[in-house]
Structures are given as C-alpha cells and as structure tokens.
Amino acid sequence: MTHPELRPRPPSPLVEAADERFAAHGVRLLLKRDDLVHPELPGNKWRKLAPNLRAAVEAGHGQLATFGGAYSNHLRATAAAGRLLGLRTVGIVRGDELAGRPLNDSLARCAADGMRLHFTTRSEYRRKTEPQTLARLLEAAGATGAYVVPEGGSNALALTGCAELGRELRGRCDVAAVACGTGGTLAGLAAGLAPGQRALGVPVLAGGFLGAEIRSLQALAFGGPAGDWALAEGYDHGGYARVPAALDSFAADFESRHGVPVERIYVAKLLWALTALTAEAAFPRGTTLTAVITGPP
C-alpha cells in the first residue's frame, strides 16, 4: 500500500496577478502556486522528491542520504520527508569548516527533523558524483547502503515529477518561468508543456553551466532533448543565497501588492527577472506568462 504522504497531490492553484508593470506591456501574469502543493514539501521539492521517495520505499530502503550546502532547501525538504515517512536521513553538507560552528536556522531545522549531518571538505564535495568518492563519503557519514538522492533532488526520476508540473500548465500560458538551481525543475517542466509553449529558467547561481546540466538530465530521463526551453542569465544578484537590499525591497513590495509570500533565494530572483524582461519588451504583447512559485519564505 502506498504511504499516504506519497499519494498524488491535486494540481496546485493557478491565479492571476494584476500588475501594471506587466499589463503596461500587454503581458498577463499568472502565478502557479506550487508553494501550496504540500504543507511541508512545497513546490519543486515535492515534485522532485516524491518519485524518489516512492522508489526508496518500494525497494525497502530505511535510510536516505543526500547532499547540500548550509542553506539548502533540498536538505530541509529531505529531512522533513524522512520524518513524515519514518525514514532515517543523512545530509552530507558542503564545508567541513562548519562542523564546529552553531547550526544556522536551515541546518537546525534539518537536525530537528531527525537528519544526521555530516560535514565534508569542499574539494571532496565537488567530486561527490565520482563512484569512489561517493562510496567514501557515504561510509564516512554512516550511510553505506542508503538510497541516495542527488544534490537538489535532480535526477531522471525527479524529472518525471516535474514534467507533471508542465502538464498542469498545458493550454494555460505561453511561457512558464521558474527559478533554477540544479536545473531539474526546468528540464522536467519543459518536457511536460504542450507544443507551442516555452519554458524559461532564471538561474540563481552565476557560472553559465546550467545549459549542459539540463541537456544531460533530459537525456537521462527522456532519451534526448524535450520541450522548448531557454535560460535568462544575469539575475543571480551576486550568487546563491545573496539577497541584496534592492532584491529584498522588491520582494517585500511584490508581497504587499499581491498577498503572496516571496521566498528570497529563488522566487524573488525569478520575479525580478520577469519584471525586468517585461520592461525590456522581451515578451510580445499578448503573452500570458506564468511564474512558478516554488517555495515559501
């Protein structure tokens, strides 16, 4: 029998956001409230984790191991999922210098949900996909034999969950936009959209590496390219977890205008980018634009 927490969820709400900054350019803005899809595993975290959790449970695994940085939403979601499903969780955290410091709010939440944290050097972390390094990290973390979920939750199974997000938006918009960390959500979203629709990703990290990652993920999940997608680079605001005052003020203003909570690390950068691109006439008049709200504050 499927665990109640792993049963399919109803489509998340799609609501219109009347905003003169978009209307002045003939663009209609919709918000896909994926932050409401699950009370503890919101948005793309549910979409990506649920297929992996089902696979772990069906295979009889009692422990999950995954990876993330000190402020990783993915680590928090995996810890919460473990608590909900009664699975042990181990988080392998980038940066061994953090081991002797007090836990930040994010990691403290992971620990409170029962996740055992193992801190590793940044050099080892960068090589975590190499089989020998992965085996060494799992052994050091006491997680040999655990079901491994990759950093950010992005793998072939995760893309099947994110493709459902695209299917929910078929016929509802011209462009569906999402903030990107590892690229898995965009890769699946694009695959699920109908012909004629386009997916747009806004990377929250600098570096220009995501295009290759997305193509690789789609090849693993779907056997090759899937859907029409593009990246809007240059809106990372200084890098991951950087929230300058101007971005914070923008997010607070959007919350005030629309009554929607705006998570700062991903969603604020997405909405900023869409506002700027609209002002630059990047979207033709008559475009219906959907912003996927992937997480809570």
Side-chain angles (χ1 to χ4, degrees), residues 251-260:
D253 175 69
F254 196 96
E255 290 173 332
S256 176
R257 289 171 184 251
H258 300 294
V260 174

Side-chain angles (χ1 to χ4, degrees), residues 90-159:
V90 175
I92 298 174
V93 185
R94 179 179 61 245
D96 60 336
E97 74 278 4
L98 302 172
R101 300 178 186 174
L103 298 178
N104 64 29
D105 289 346
S106 231
L107 294 178
R109 177 66 178 272
C110 292
D113 277 337
M115 176 174 275
R116 189 170 74 254
L117 300 172
H118 174 77
F119 298 90
T120 190
T121 66
R122 292 171 185 272
S123 60
E124 281 275 282
Y125 190 92
R126 281 193 295 271
R127 296 167 52 206
K128 64 187 177 298
T129 58
E130 299 172 6
Q132 288 184 331
T133 304
L134 175 61
R136 188 163 58 246
L137 285 170
L138 292 174
E139 182 179 10
T144 300
Y147 183 94
V148 178
V149 181
E151 181 179 25
S154 293
N155 59 9
L157 278 176
L159 265 63

Side-chain angles (χ1 to χ4, degrees), residues 31-192:
L31 305 178
K32 178 66 166 165
R33 294 293 308 276
D34 240 32
D35 55 323
L36 302 178
V37 76
H38 190 287
E40 295 196 68
L41 307 175
N44 60 342
K45 301 310 173 193
W46 164 258
R47 304 273 186 188
K48 292 196 284 188
L49 272 175
N52 279 285
L53 294 169
R54 291 188 190 104
V57 170
E58 289 169 5
H61 286 276
Q63 186 176 46
L64 303 173
T66 194
F67 303 84
Y71 295 92
S72 169
N73 289 331
H74 168 69
L75 285 181
R76 287 176 56 179
T78 304
R83 173 174 51 79
L84 292 169
L85 298 175
L87 298 174
R88 302 186 309 280
T89 57
V90 175
I92 298 174
V93 185
R94 179 179 61 245
D96 60 336
E97 74 278 4
L98 302 172
R101 300 178 186 174
L103 298 178
N104 64 29
D105 289 346
S106 231
L107 294 178
R109 177 66 178 272
C110 292
D113 277 337
M115 176 174 275
R116 189 170 74 254
L117 300 172
H118 174 77
F119 298 90
T120 190
T121 66
R122 292 171 185 272
S123 60
E124 281 275 282
Y125 190 92
R126 281 193 295 271
R127 296 167 52 206
K128 64 187 177 298
T129 58
E130 299 172 6
Q132 288 184 331
T133 304
L134 175 61
R136 188 163 58 246
L137 285 170
L138 292 174
E139 182 179 10
T144 300
Y147 183 94
V148 178
V149 181
E151 181 179 25
S154 293
N155 59 9
L157 278 176
L159 265 63
T160 64
C162 294
E164 183 60 30
L165 170 61
R167 287 190 285 271
E168 290 177 16
L169 289 170
R170 286 186 174 186
R172 309 298 296 275
C173 63
D174 302 298
V175 179
V178 66
C180 300
T182 55
T185 304
L186 177 65
L189 169 65

